[in-house]
Amino acid sequence: ADGTIEYLGRNDQQVKIRGYRIELDEIQSQLIRHAEVKEAVLSVREEVAGEKRLVAYIVARDRQSVPSVEALRAHLKAVLPEFMVPSAFVMLERLPLTPNGKVDRKALPAPDVGAYATRQYEAPEGEVEEILAGIWQSLLQVERVGRQDNFFELGGHSLLIMQMMDRLHRVGLSAELRDVF
């Protein structure tokens, strides 16, 4: 009556991460098209450093045929731009539901180290690789980084690259930006 308007937020699943507008339902529909995925839901998790990451929660069609993180990433990379591919994929037996039958997003677990795409672990070799692995662990909030791991698959992005470059510079090392990409 007094002309005051109260803004409650968006009424859809669109989010903005690192300057990109992302429709979570679009990613979810592509995940469900994967032959081994029964259900999927997307969430945005804010990490310790305030960075937002996309996390996919997956229920497999068959318990004997659970899709790998790498297979899901490859499936999405074939149909979506890189910025829409989640950083982590969490496998669940079933999605948590509220009493009225909707997905309980607050009950979705935080991703563990296995939820991120990794390659067969090979320990860093030499002082430079050990320093770089330590920087990645700190920036990406992961337990271990192997010499074959991919910065972006572990949740890295262009803003974190700038922080990585700064940390390298502090310890007397440098890298060309184009080489990182």
Side-chain angles (χ1 to χ4, degrees):
D2 68 354
T4 302
I5 296 175
E6 191 173 338
Y7 178 71
L8 300 176
R10 297 189 68 96
N11 195 21
D12 61 7
Q13 293 296 316
Q14 190 178 87
V15 296
K16 190 171 184 180
I17 298 178
R18 294 185 299 275
Y20 293 105
R21 293 197 182 280
I22 300 171
E23 182 62 51
L24 298 181
D25 291 339
E26 185 177 351
I27 303 167
Q28 180 178 319
S29 68
Q30 293 298 335
L31 279 169
I32 292 172
R33 289 183 180 183
H34 189 282
E36 296 175 310
V37 175
K38 178 181 177 183
E39 294 178 284
V41 68
L42 274 286
S43 179
V44 176
R45 298 202 61 104
E46 194 162 322
E47 301 296 324
V48 179
E51 294 295 328
K52 293 180 180 178
R53 291 187 183 182
L54 283 175
V55 179
Y57 294 89
I58 308 293
V59 176
R61 284 197 193 282
D62 183 1
R63 288 185 184 178
Q64 284 72 35
S65 175
V66 177
S68 69
V69 172
E70 292 79 11
L72 293 170
R73 284 186 63 79
H75 170 74
L76 289 180
K77 279 183 168 183
V79 293
L80 296 173
E82 179 71 32
F83 67 87
M84 291 179 75
V85 177
S87 298
F89 294 82
V90 178
M91 302 302 164
L92 301 174
E93 288 191 25
R94 61 183 169 78
L95 296 174
L97 302 176
T98 63
N100 61 4
K102 294 182 179 181
V103 175
D104 186 354
R105 292 181 182 277
K106 293 178 182 172
L108 293 169
D112 63 12
V113 72
Y116 296 92
T118 57
R119 299 171 188 224
Q120 185 171 346
Y121 181 73
E122 288 183 46
E125 293 180 6
E127 183 181 0
V128 172
E129 284 187 12
E130 288 177 11
I131 291 169
L132 187 58
I135 291 171
W136 284 21
Q137 285 173 260
S138 172
L139 286 174
L140 302 173
Q141 307 285 314
V142 295
E143 287 183 33
R144 73 176 188 185
V145 173
R147 66 189 322 245
Q148 300 300 325
D149 285 333
N150 180 297
F151 184 79
F152 298 102
E153 289 175 358
L154 292 174
H157 52 77
S158 59
L159 297 176
L160 285 177
I161 288 175
M162 300 313 294
Q163 291 180 34
M164 179 187 70
M165 301 290 272
D166 179 58
R167 291 184 187 186
L168 283 172
H169 182 71
R170 284 189 216 163
V171 295
L173 298 172
S174 65
E176 292 293 323
L177 195 57
R178 68 177 171 264
D179 292 333
V180 176
F181 280 99

